[in-house]
Amino acid sequence: MAAHLDIDSDLPSNNPSSKLHALSRAPSSIDRLYSDLPITPPSPPHAIPPEYRQLREQLLLNWVNHKLGCDPRVTRLSELLDREILIDLIETVAGSRIQPLNNSEPRNLDTATKLLHDWIGQQNIEAVASMKAVARGDQDQFISLLSYILTQYQAYIINAMQDDTFGFISSHVHPIISIPHHGAVSPADIQQVLLTYAQVTLAEYVNAALIPSIDDCSDAWQDGLLFMALLHCHEPDCVRDMQDFVINSKDRSRWRLTLETAFRRAHNAFHVPILLDASTLADAMHVDEESILAYLVEFVYAVRARNKNEQVTEKRQSDIERWQLDAETCSTPSLSSAEYSDPGQQEQKQYSQPQITLKTTYTQVRLTKTTKINSLDEEFQARVASLLEKIAQFQNRLVVMIPTRSSNYQMRSSSVATPDTQYSFDESEGGDHSRKLHPLQAGQEDLRAYELNFAAYQATLQSFKQDELEAFHQFCNLEIDTDDSDVKARIAQVNSAFQGLLDDTDKAERLLETFRHEFGFAQLCASARTELDAAQTMMLKMTPASTDTDIPHMEAKVEKATCIINDVAQVYSDLVQSSEDEAYPKHFDALVRKNKLVKSWVEEVRIWFAEAERIRKWIEIRTVKLDEIAVPEAIQSKELPLTRQEIETLNAAHEALQKEIRAFDSEDMARLRAHVKPLMGGQLTKELSPADARTIEITLTAINLLEQLMGTMQRKSNRLQELTNRLVWEEELVKTKTWIDETEKEVEAFVRENARWQVEEDDLVVDGTDETRHRDQLMAQERLKELVIQRLLMLENKGAEFEHGQYAATIEAFDDLEDSISVNMPDHLNARHDDCCQRRMCNSLRQIYVRPR
């Protein structure tokens, strides 16, 4: 339940049909002057003003010591980190809203940061203070962090008191002044609740001229008089000497005593912790508002059980009446009588009146000022004129409270309208004039100001009725001859004007309800648009590394937006189908179109993301398979690392995988390329959507992955080619060496056995007796020569055949191996190759050597 200002009344309205809220007190001077409730902006997160620093630091230390019961007391902010007190503080003020720490978790600043993120949210914390700067000992950042924690705790306390049957604040805070239940709370939210609470609670004291009007939660509290008034309001016996403090409030040197007395008495009566240092507060040039708010929260919480205590109420009213009577006896000047001056006239200088239908008696009332009825008493005449003038002011106030906007105004960031759903609400486009603010262009602050103004108007009108109109009728009954026709006419004129005002108030309230209803439509549409924008943003932020959960998150956003749109169509069917204001159907239709568009984008991204995921997994599997084909280094080892069968097995597996990858590239990837080719062409017929951009990115990523796979495959192919070429060379080299070894043996045997001459031709003895023998020797010698020559020719032919066959194949295999590698051929392979060539050369020379000469 949000904190709110409920204006209850023990005195019912005299008019049962009246829309006025009855009040149990007279309005404050703020009500009478039609002033808006002031809103003080929160302190900037990283810059505590120097004049506030001392008071703020003392407050925070006192608050921490009070919440944790520190013994010994914490005297320096740095001790909160040194003594690990920050974690205890967070656990204490957050309570069940965070998960408790495990015993194994370290109690350091990182853990404290985690607790804060769980409780308040990382983004909210980082917007207030840098935890890194806090860790470095930055005092300003640490004060900002502690102040923010204090503000969230105050919001929790205020909201919690709404569920308390005896919660005093629940009957003093209006529904339109609320504390957010979700998200971060600012000091301005706390200030609105407590300022309104103080204004309502102390209205009797303001009207009795005991205290000035309460316009803020800072400097107005410095003299201590307001603290005294609050204490007397809840426990009159504690402040029997109120008049003395009223007199002392004029003397700044007495402020410290007043503050100390108020704090001490509140502590003794209600156990309100003394968070503020009276001396520092009294001497301050400017009062820190957040420090005052912190004390007020503790005060309100402590006195919450004093609500609706009749004895306290009677004693309080009796004291106030007595003090007021004493003041009048002593000729104490009262507040200004110009309570009903019209600040709305100032607003009229800035804004022209919007065209609304109100039953106004403004002109009629003005004319009555010139009417002269000599027979009436001057006091009666003055009262009538005053009442009619004020009724006219109320009429005018009803007009000027309706939100307006200059035609030159730029849409504020909090407006629920968005650039694609803005319309021209002006009848005329030219000139600088004011126009009625359309709910589609309004922000939350516009509605809040409208409701605040109307609530203040009702309170002031009720007070006017009780204090002046009823007093007028009582005066007429007692002092004036009501049988006189002129008197009757004037009284009837006043009654008629007031009744017209009540009718216009009813119409104004209906206008507010209509504005609230239409603003609710705009806000609900804005919620749906926020979800769609979030889905679109997630789509734009998607990367190839995005997970499967990102798509469901986007789909959930779109689904939520769809549900909101359906709710809008049902709850606000009158606006969706409105024929009077086409802005609402246009706004809703634009939202429906955007929902449909974003939904189609998400669906398209989902399809292609799933396709990309399939491609990625397919490539991952093939990459693993490719890595499983272990190809050893081919040339560095002296021995061939694998056998022929093993190399053939590797080649077969690699070739099958290579064929599969090329088929995938020519089929699946070709289809993906064909889809994005029109999107990447030079002649686009439409602007790229986020879905198109993601599809292009997915495709390029898939192509990149495939290229990496094919690059790995090519490197593996090169290594396999090196290994295969090494195998071929090794096999050819073995064959060559075998041939050379065999040929060398044949040449050696030929030289030793066949090519050596046994008898020289000159050594043969020729005589007559041995002629026949000599002829036989010559014939044998010729036959031996013939055999040697034939054997030599056979060896030479064999060598020539080897030279062009096996030896050439070996040389070619070595050249292929050398061409396939990307580095220089190792020395051990070069040595083996050179040795083979050298042996072949030697073999050829020996064959030449044995030729006959």
Side-chain angles (χ1 to χ4, degrees):
M1 182 183 295
H4 61 279
L5 177 63
D6 238 347
I7 305 177
D8 297 333
S9 175
D10 298 329
L11 300 175
S13 172
N14 293 334
N15 183 4
S17 63
S18 174
K19 298 298 181 179
L20 299 180
H21 293 291
L23 290 177
S24 60
R25 51 89 184 175
S28 67
S29 59
I30 297 177
D31 293 330
R32 297 178 183 274
L33 293 175
Y34 318 141
S35 300
D36 292 338
L37 294 175
I39 299 177
T40 303
S43 301
H46 300 315
I48 305 298
E51 62 269 22
Y52 296 165
R53 184 184 179 92
Q54 182 180 2
L55 186 61
R56 180 80 65 86
E57 186 171 345
Q58 290 176 345
L59 166 84
L60 293 174
L61 289 173
N62 291 335
W63 179 65
V64 171
N65 284 300
H66 165 67
K67 296 304 298 180
L68 301 182
C70 298
D71 187 18
R73 289 177 58 85
V74 177
T75 58
R76 292 181 295 106
L77 290 178
S78 59
E79 294 181 34
L80 296 182
L81 296 176
D82 298 340
R83 294 167 52 184
E84 303 176 358
I85 300 177
L86 182 58
I87 292 180
D88 295 335
L89 177 65
I90 296 171
E91 290 179 325
T92 300
V93 299
S96 60
R97 288 164 289 171
I98 59 175
Q99 294 293 331
L101 292 177
N102 299 325
N103 294 331
S104 60
E105 294 187 67
R107 301 179 69 80
N108 52 27
L109 185 59
D110 292 338
T111 304
T113 303
K114 175 179 176 297
L115 291 177
L116 288 174
H117 290 174
D118 293 342
W119 173 26
I120 303 175
Q122 180 177 358
Q123 184 177 0
N124 294 327
I125 292 296
E126 291 177 351
V128 172
S130 169
M131 297 305 293
K132 293 181 179 179
V134 172
R136 292 194 303 267
D138 190 318
Q139 291 291 310
D140 288 338
Q141 297 278 330
F142 194 33
I143 292 177
S144 294
L145 176 63
L146 290 177
S147 300
Y148 191 68
I149 294 174
L150 176 58
T151 299
Q152 308 314 305
Y153 168 75
Q154 293 168 353
Y156 170 74
I157 291 298
I158 291 175
N159 285 326
M161 282 193 288
Q162 300 308 303
D163 300 326
D164 189 346
T165 305
F166 300 100
F168 186 71
I169 198 171
S170 63
S171 62
H172 291 69
V173 182
H174 198 275
I176 61 177
I177 302 178
S178 60
I179 296 291
H181 275 72
H182 303 288
V185 179
S186 69
D189 298 318
I190 306 297
Q191 187 256 18
Q192 287 191 66
V193 172
L194 294 180
L195 179 59
T196 306
Y197 163 79
Q199 290 173 336
V200 174
T201 304
L202 302 180
E204 294 175 306
Y205 298 84
V206 174
N207 295 332
L210 294 174
I211 60 175
S213 60
I214 309 171
D215 300 330
D216 57 58
C217 287
S218 54
D219 294 345
W221 299 76
Q222 191 174 14
D223 59 6
L225 194 59
L226 296 183
F227 291 113
M228 279 294 185
L230 272 181
L231 183 57
H232 178 270
C233 179
H234 297 91
E235 188 54 68
D237 290 337
C238 286
V239 193
R240 296 179 179 179
D241 50 354
M242 182 70 181
Q243 284 181 303
D244 295 338
F245 293 107
V246 172
I247 298 173
N248 292 341
S249 64
K250 308 301 181 182
D251 185 0
R252 187 183 183 100
S253 63
R254 306 298 296 273
W255 289 1
R256 175 181 176 181
L257 177 61
T258 303
L259 290 168
E260 288 178 345
T261 305
F263 296 156
R264 184 179 66 256
R265 292 180 180 180
H267 178 72
N268 295 336
F270 300 108
H271 303 288
V272 180
I274 303 177
L275 302 181
L276 298 173
D277 182 77
S279 177
T280 304
L281 179 57
D283 296 338
M285 293 297 296
H286 300 284
V287 177
D288 177 28
E289 181 182 66
E290 294 187 36
S291 298
I292 300 296
L293 295 178
Y295 181 84
L296 289 179
V297 169
E298 297 293 341
F299 184 92
V300 173
Y301 184 73
V303 302
R304 64 192 185 281
R306 303 291 288 181
N307 190 22
K308 302 298 184 182
N309 190 315
E310 295 182 0
Q311 293 181 351
V312 171
T313 302
E314 292 176 359
K315 185 67 169 66
R316 178 179 68 248
Q317 293 176 348
S318 175
D319 287 347
I320 293 175
E321 291 176 0
R322 175 169 51 84
W323 292 334
Q324 191 174 15
L325 181 61
D326 292 344
E328 291 175 356
T329 303
C330 298
S331 300
T332 303
S334 61
L335 297 178
S336 172
S337 61
E339 294 175 336
Y340 289 92
S341 60
D342 185 14
Q345 294 177 356
Q346 182 67 22
E347 294 186 56
Q348 281 184 291
K349 296 179 181 180
Q350 301 176 7
Y351 306 105
S352 62
Q353 296 182 4
Q355 297 299 320
I356 59 173
T357 304
L358 290 175
K359 179 183 176 182
T360 178
T361 58
Y362 183 75
T363 304
Q364 178 183 358
V365 171
R366 283 292 188 184
L367 293 176
T368 61
K369 298 183 68 175
T370 60
T371 304
K372 296 182 179 179
I373 306 177
N374 297 326
S375 62
L376 296 180
D377 183 80
E378 290 184 0
E379 183 179 358
F380 175 76
Q381 287 278 11
R383 289 198 179 210
V384 170
S386 176
L387 290 175
L388 292 176
E389 178 68 20
K390 291 173 183 177
I391 290 174
Q393 293 176 2
F394 277 115
Q395 293 279 5
N396 184 63
R397 185 174 174 184
L398 284 176
V399 174
V400 300
M401 75 168 57
I402 299 176
T404 58
R405 185 64 44 80
S406 170
S407 60
N408 295 333
Y409 179 82
Q410 298 296 323
M411 184 188 71
R412 66 183 68 188
S413 59
S414 61
S415 172
V416 295
T418 53
D420 59 334
T421 58
Q422 293 184 59
Y423 314 100
S424 175
F425 299 102
D426 294 326
E427 296 179 0
S428 173
E429 297 295 335
D432 182 9
H433 58 279
S434 298
R435 55 174 169 76
K436 180 181 176 182
L437 178 62
H438 198 283
L440 288 178
Q441 289 188 323
Q444 185 66 45
E445 63 275 18
D446 294 312
L447 176 61
R448 174 170 292 190
Y450 194 180
E451 291 174 326
L452 281 173
N453 289 337
F454 189 76
Y457 165 84
Q458 285 185 312
T460 310
L461 181 59
Q462 178 65 24
S463 178
F464 169 76
K465 176 186 176 184
Q466 292 178 350
D467 295 350
E468 300 200 27
L469 191 62
E470 291 180 1
F472 169 73
H473 286 295
Q474 187 176 8
F475 168 77
C476 291
N477 292 332
L478 296 177
E479 305 292 340
I480 302 299
D481 182 11
T482 56
D483 293 332
D484 186 274
S485 58
D486 292 334
V487 171
K488 286 184 178 180
R490 294 289 276 171
I491 295 176
Q493 185 180 15
V494 171
N495 292 337
S496 176
F498 186 72
Q499 185 58 46
L501 177 62
L502 293 181
D503 294 341
D504 290 345
T505 301
D506 291 342
K507 293 180 181 180
E509 187 170 18
R510 289 194 294 271
L511 282 177
L512 174 59
E513 288 299 325
T514 300
F515 188 91
R516 187 184 290 115
H517 176 69
E518 294 172 351
F519 183 77
F521 165 85
Q523 277 200 316
L524 206 55
C525 289
S527 299
R529 188 171 298 277
T530 299
E531 297 297 329
L532 295 176
D533 290 341
Q536 187 172 343
T537 301
M538 292 175 63
M539 193 182 308
L540 293 172
K541 291 183 177 180
M542 283 187 65
T543 64
S546 299
T547 62
D548 294 337
T549 59
D550 292 330
I551 300 295
H553 284 168
M554 288 191 294
E555 292 177 331
K557 293 288 185 183
V558 175
E559 182 62 27
K560 185 176 180 181
T562 303
C563 293
I564 294 175
I565 291 174
N566 293 335
D567 291 342
V568 172
Q570 294 178 2
V571 177
Y572 298 97
S573 58
D574 56 324
L575 299 178
V576 172
Q577 303 172 4
S578 174
S579 58
E580 297 179 358
D581 191 344
E582 63 177 8
Y584 294 108
K586 287 183 178 180
H587 189 88
F588 182 75
D589 291 343
L591 183 61
V592 171
R593 289 195 302 271
K594 180 168 184 175
N595 181 63
K596 183 178 180 181
L597 181 61
V598 174
K599 189 173 184 179
S600 67
W601 288 348
V602 173
E603 179 66 16
E604 184 177 353
V605 170
R606 185 188 65 80
I607 293 174
W608 287 107
F609 187 85
E611 178 69 7
E613 185 67 13
R614 183 187 70 83
I615 292 174
R616 185 182 63 81
K617 291 182 178 179
W618 189 94
I619 292 176
E620 286 180 354
I621 293 173
R622 270 61 189 180
T623 302
V624 171
K625 287 185 177 181
L626 194 60
D627 292 339
E628 290 175 351
I629 303 177
V631 181
E633 212 288 322
I635 61 175
Q636 297 300 329
S637 61
K638 293 184 178 181
E639 301 295 334
L640 187 64
L642 298 176
T643 65
R644 167 173 279 277
Q645 183 178 359
E646 291 173 334
I647 294 176
E648 288 178 349
T649 302
L650 288 177
N651 277 319
H654 182 74
E655 185 178 354
L657 185 59
Q658 189 177 41
K659 183 178 180 180
E660 188 178 0
I661 293 174
R662 287 175 177 170
F664 178 82
D665 181 48
S666 61
E667 296 175 4
D668 295 61
M669 293 303 298
R671 184 174 65 255
L672 194 59
R673 293 188 188 97
H675 176 75
V676 301
K677 184 177 180 180
L679 303 178
M680 302 178 65
Q683 298 179 348
L684 293 177
T685 58
K686 65 174 184 177
E687 185 178 354
L688 288 179
S689 68
D692 294 334
R694 296 287 72 77
T695 303
I696 293 174
E697 185 176 6
I698 289 171
T699 302
L700 294 178
T701 302
I703 292 175
N704 185 47
L705 290 175
L706 183 61
E707 288 180 349
Q708 293 177 7
L709 176 62
M710 297 187 73
T712 303
M713 181 183 67
Q714 185 59 45
R715 289 190 295 272
K716 190 80 66 162
S717 298
N718 293 339
R719 296 189 65 180
L720 271 174
Q721 187 62 45
E722 293 175 7
L723 189 60
T724 302
N725 289 343
R726 171 81 184 270
L727 172 65
V728 172
W729 176 71
E730 290 283 358
E731 290 179 344
E732 296 297 329
L733 184 62
V734 170
K735 293 177 183 179
T736 298
K737 287 184 176 181
T738 301
W739 187 91
I740 292 175
D741 291 340
E742 294 176 353
T743 303
E744 285 181 347
K745 292 179 181 179
E746 290 181 10
V747 171
E748 181 71 22
F750 174 73
V751 170
R752 292 182 180 276
E753 298 174 3
N754 301 100
R756 181 172 296 176
W757 303 102
Q758 301 295 329
V759 180
E760 292 291 340
E761 187 176 340
D762 295 339
D763 295 337
L764 293 175
V765 179
V766 182
D767 53 21
T769 60
D770 295 324
E771 184 177 353
T772 302
R773 181 183 177 190
H774 178 68
R775 188 171 48 251
D776 293 337
Q777 289 179 342
L778 289 175
M779 292 177 64
Q781 188 177 27
E782 289 298 328
R783 287 197 297 272
L784 182 59
K785 273 186 178 182
E786 186 67 26
L787 291 174
V788 170
I789 292 172
Q790 289 179 1
R791 179 62 177 169
L792 182 59
L793 288 174
M794 185 186 65
L795 289 174
E796 289 181 353
N797 290 335
K798 184 179 179 181
E801 182 180 351
F802 171 76
E803 186 73 26
H804 295 89
Q806 181 59 46
Y807 185 70
T810 303
I811 298 299
E812 184 178 357
F814 185 81
D815 292 339
D816 291 341
L817 175 60
E818 191 171 25
D819 292 340
S820 64
I821 63 177
S822 58
V823 295
N824 294 330
M825 186 68 73
D827 292 340
H828 67 90
L829 295 184
N830 279 326
R832 292 174 61 191
H833 177 68
D834 293 342
D835 178 67
C836 178
C837 294
Q838 186 67 28
R839 291 186 61 189
R840 169 57 185 157
M841 184 178 297
C842 292
N843 182 270
S844 299
L845 291 176
R846 293 187 69 179
Q847 290 183 22
I848 294 173
Y849 173 74
V850 299
R851 289 178 182 175
R853 293 171 174 81

